[in-house]
Structure formats: structure tokens, C-alpha cells
Amino acid sequence: MNNRWSTLRSGLSVLAAVVLTGIGVAVARPASAADSSPYQAQVFTRGYDTTKLATLTFDLDWRTGTPAENAVSRTNLETVLRVFAANGITAGFGVTGRFAEQNPAETRDIAARGHKIFNHSYSHPDFLTLTRAQRWAQLDKAEAAFRAAGVNSAGWFRTPYRSGYMNAGVNRDLALRGYYINLDWTFDTTGYRAADWATVSSRIDRYTVPGAIIVMHVTTPSTDPGNLQLIIDKLKGMGYGFTSPYHAVTRAPIRTAYFGAGGPSSVFGAPTTAPMQATTAGTAVQWFQRGRFYHSPASGTHFVTGAILSKYRSLGTVTSFLRYPTADERHGAAGGYYSTFQGGSVYWLPATGAHEVHGAIRTKWFTLGAEAGILGYPQSDEVAVSVGRASRFQHGNVYWNSSNGAHEVHGAILTRYLALGGTGSRLGPPTSDEYTVAVGRRSNFRHGAIIWNSAARTTTVIYT
């Protein structure tokens, strides 16, 4: 380690102690819309746990050294992974792009074992000395190396040297590039300085608190790999258990729902933001790689994902008329899916895409069997028509207006009705569903009716 690195670490150890006492840095920021992209990356110097739980992490960046030095560093990494596996611990690894570029197999192995990788820049520069463009270049180049190795950071970052980790400009630049989690640490064992066990043990005594995130280092001359089992045993002796980075950045009730669904190994992948207030106090939303979890006291905690989430987002999520989800996504008829919300539903089928149904039109559709009924899946969102509102389904339409309520029109009668101009025609809006008559079927409208003759297979329009 160079002198500058040691100086930065020494100075920032004091700042770590300040953070532990609860004295933070207040950063003014503009108000943001509910469920919108975070304005700045959320800095985690500790996880959310208030019980005796700690998260273990390692930083991993080694330049090409002598064959002997590289062999020691690789052995150190093997030791770290073996000890974690033996203790059933899921850890975090701040990995530089150049490490991933030079060691793709080792990088894949870290992720394959379930550990969380976070972007530690490409070449480990001091981010306070870089322009926005240079910061983004570091992030992008590192992520490209991760992709080439078959892994990704999911928008997690750790600041090199811990320099500027609380800087508003740095964290704004991270957020603008899609990095919403800045996983810092509570304290460093200082094993990177070749610290002896007495020094490391003393730091554990002084700085370990509930939710602590502990940083260690792999590269020679670090003593952390050799001391790792001692560190684990000491923390256990202090009454501490271990929690993963995925746990550290989530909290109940979303944490409970997320891990109940399978956690990072599920369809959702890793969290990509911290928990955020969704609308009012007591509500929450957290983004994941492939979905979002929402919570409100009235609706509970539920996820939205895939094409249904895309539709929900296009409507404004929790600030839209749909408001909060009231159930997780479920299977529908014919291989489709649907999610229910406080103000309506969104249904998806590959052939139709995702569309919302709400209000009186949804109520009518439900009485007809919803997606499994005569109308099938929605093919449009609800739209305004010349008289009232309408939704189009696979096999018919439902029309609504305040005078006549909601009624369906389908089949040959719908074809004739649309040819005449629908609600804007002389017939006006429907006043009944289709029903059976002597010659076949009939639908009534405000100014007439359409009758379908089942024998002749013709339609007749009657005006009143």
C-alpha cells in the first residue's frame, strides 16, 4: 500500500467513528416525485439491523505483481472463500474492473458462491479528483469487465480509498449513472497494513455495533485472510451473527417479503436501491433488478414485475389511479398473469401485452368471468369514447357512461356497431349486454338495437 492510501485510511477511521455516533452529513436535495429514481446514491456505513448482526466484506484489487505475490493473493482469495463457505456466510466483495479483467474465473466464482459483487471502480482512483465524465468512465469500464466475466454489480458501488464517500457530488454522479447503493463500511480491520491479531481484535472491540459492515482486504500483505476465522469466532463470542449485504440494505416488511420469495436467487435478483418512502409516512418501495416491492399499511407488501410493472410504471405507479398492489402477481387463464391494485388490475398475455382494467368496466368484466370469460384478456387500457369510457378485450368491448352503466358488446353485433360508428353513431351507447331472443341474439342501445339472426347469420339495426 502506498503512503497516500495509508493516510486516507487513517484520517477516515476517525470519520468512521463519528458516523458511528450518529453524526451525519446533511445534504440538501430537490424534492423528488414518489417512486422516482433516487437523486443520490444511498450511503451505507451500517446495515439496517438493530440486533447483533454484522456484514463481512472484502475489497479486491491487485495490480500485476511478481508471480510469487500473485500466487499469495490468489491463495488468500481461496482461503477467504473457503472460510466463508465453512461458516455459511454470504459476504460482499468490492471488485475493481481491472481485477475482473485479469481474473474473470475468480470473479465468476465469487458471484457463483452467492456473494455480492459491487463496483469498486476500474483502476481504483480517488473519485474526488475526477470529473463527472471520468467517474462515469471508471464505472462503465469496470461494469464492462464484469459483463465480460459474466457478473454484474446491480448498481452497487464502493468508493476507492473511501475518499468522498459522503460527498454530494460523488453520490449524485453515481445516481445519474444508475448506481443507487454506495456500500461503505463501519470500520476497517486495517489488515491491509499487515496488522497483527492484537490490533485487529482491538478494533473489533472498539467499533463493532449492530448492523456493522466490516471491510477487509485480500491482497498481500493483508493479514485478513489468515485472520478471517479468528475474526468470525471473535464476533460470535461477542454474541454477533452474520447477515448478507442483501439483508443489510433491506428492512422489514419488504425484506421479509423479498426473502420469502427467494431473495437474490429469485426472479427479483439483487436490490438496486435502498428502501424509499413511496408516498406518505409508513409506505415504502424498493427496486430490484427485475421487479419492485411496495408496502402500505392498507394494502400490505407485494411485488410487481415484468411487463405488468412496465405498464404500472407508465401509469405512474403509486401516484396513479391504481395506487398500491393488493396481491403479488398471479397466474391467469391461458398462460397469462395479472396483478391487483387498490384502484384496478393489470392483466398480461403474450398476445395482448399488459393492460389495465378498473372501475365499473372491471366490475362488469368480472361478472362475465374476467380473462377466463367470453371477452378474454384486455387489449387496451380504458379510454375515453364519444359517450363515456370503453375498454377493448380479445373478444369484445365494454362500454360505460354515467347514465347507462357498463355493458358489453361482442361478436357480430360489435362488428356492426363499430361499422356504424360505435358510441358516436345514431345508436349511442349500449344499455344492455347481449341477450337471447327468438331469432338469435340482441343488444340494446340508447337509440335502438342490433339483432343477430343465428339462422341467416345476419344483423339488423333498429332505431327508436
Side-chain angles (χ1 to χ4, degrees):
M1 296 291 174
N2 58 37
N3 290 335
R4 181 179 171 284
W5 169 242
S6 298
T7 301
L8 278 166
R9 284 281 180 179
S10 298
L12 290 166
S13 294
V14 176
L15 183 53
V18 171
V19 170
L20 285 176
T21 66
I23 300 173
V25 179
V27 178
R29 50 161 290 181
S32 59
D35 201 17
S36 61
S37 300
Y39 182 79
Q40 293 179 309
Q42 174 68 51
V43 179
F44 286 88
T45 55
R46 288 165 62 174
Y48 285 115
D49 293 289
T50 56
T51 56
K52 283 191 167 185
L53 290 170
T55 301
L56 302 184
T57 70
F58 273 84
D59 282 355
L60 192 52
D61 171 47
W62 71 67
R63 303 167 181 80
T64 302
T66 67
E69 288 171 337
N70 288 342
V72 171
S73 293
R74 284 190 170 84
T75 298
N76 283 351
L77 179 57
E78 291 169 2
T79 298
V80 168
L81 294 175
R82 184 177 65 252
V83 171
F84 281 149
N87 288 273
I89 293 173
T90 299
F93 286 80
V95 180
T96 64
R98 64 185 173 194
F99 174 86
E101 202 169 66
Q102 297 165 11
N103 305 277
E106 287 84 352
T107 304
R108 278 193 300 276
D109 188 38
I110 292 168
R113 291 170 182 257
H115 303 299
K116 182 71 189 78
I117 286 177
F118 21 95
N119 190 319
H120 198 34
S121 78
Y122 177 78
S123 58
H124 209 277
D126 179 352
F127 262 45
L128 277 182
T129 68
L130 304 183
T131 65
R132 171 176 290 174
Q134 290 170 330
R135 291 167 183 166
W136 286 357
Q138 282 284 323
L139 296 169
D140 294 349
K141 193 173 181 181
E143 210 65 47
F146 290 168
R147 286 195 300 271
V151 303
N152 67 79
S153 70
W156 293 43
F157 180 74
R158 174 171 279 173
T159 313
Y161 304 112
R162 207 189 196 190
S163 177
Y165 76 105
M166 290 292 285
N167 179 269
V170 168
N171 285 296
R172 176 60 176 155
D173 288 350
L174 292 174
L176 288 170
R177 211 59 170 175
Y179 291 82
Y180 302 129
I181 295 176
N182 186 347
L183 198 81
D184 189 59
W185 36 269
T186 311
F187 71 93
D188 188 332
T189 63
T190 67
Y192 74 93
R193 296 178 181 170
D196 59 20
W197 171 243
T199 299
V200 172
S201 179
S202 174
R203 291 184 66 79
I204 293 172
D205 287 331
R206 290 172 61 196
Y207 295 122
T208 303
V209 292
I213 299 171
I214 302 172
V215 65
M216 295 168 279
H217 294 80
V218 170
T219 309
T220 184
S222 177
T223 57
D224 291 324
N227 284 334
L228 183 55
Q229 188 61 60
L230 291 174
I231 292 168
I232 292 169
D233 290 343
K234 179 176 179 65
L235 288 165
K236 286 181 178 178
M238 295 166 63
Y240 275 81
F242 301 94
T243 192
S244 73
Y246 306 103
H247 284 86
V249 303
T250 56
R251 60 185 173 193
I254 288 177
R255 175 195 281 182
T256 303
Y258 169 55
F259 282 95
S265 62
S266 71
V267 66
F268 305 106
T272 58
T273 69
M276 302 176 286
Q277 181 174 300
T279 49
T280 57
T283 65
V285 58
Q286 188 163 15
W287 298 6
F288 294 79
Q289 286 176 285
R290 291 174 292 279
R292 296 182 187 180
F293 279 80
Y294 293 87
H295 170 80
S296 81
S299 62
T301 307
H302 303 288
F303 68 79
V304 189
T305 188
I308 291 177
L309 175 59
S310 295
K311 171 56 67 174
Y312 185 45
R313 289 176 60 190
S314 75
L315 296 170
T317 69
V318 292
T319 61
S320 72
F321 63 88
L322 291 176
R323 303 193 302 282
Y324 285 86
T326 56
D328 294 335
E329 183 176 297
R330 288 172 282 186
H331 289 280
Y337 289 88
Y338 68 96
S339 288
T340 57
F341 299 84
Q342 290 173 309
S345 303
V346 176
Y347 283 76
W348 173 86
L349 190 70
T352 61
H355 299 288
E356 62 79 17
V357 192
H358 72 280
I361 289 178
R362 182 176 74 152
T363 301
K364 169 56 69 175
W365 184 55
F366 279 179
T367 67
L368 299 169
E371 85 282 6
I374 61 170
L375 295 180
Y377 279 81
Q379 287 188 317
S380 77
D381 298 342
E382 183 179 302
V383 296
V385 291
S386 57
V387 182
R389 309 281 294 177
S391 287
R392 182 165 53 90
F393 298 85
Q394 287 177 295
H395 310 300
N397 295 349
V398 177
Y399 296 89
W400 171 89
N401 68 81
S402 59
S403 298
N404 304 111
H407 299 287
E408 62 79 20
V409 188
H410 71 279
I413 292 177
L414 175 62
T415 300
R416 185 68 181 272
Y417 181 53
L418 292 175
L420 293 169
T423 60
S425 71
R426 180 178 168 187
L427 286 173
T431 58
S432 78
D433 296 344
E434 184 179 300
Y435 60 97
T436 301
V437 292
V439 297
R441 305 284 290 174
R442 173 174 174 145
S443 288
N444 295 329
F445 298 86
R446 186 178 291 178
H447 303 297
I450 300 177
I451 299 171
W452 177 72
N453 187 306
S454 59
R457 305 189 71 80
T458 60
T459 55
T460 301
V461 180
I462 301 171
Y463 293 106
T464 58

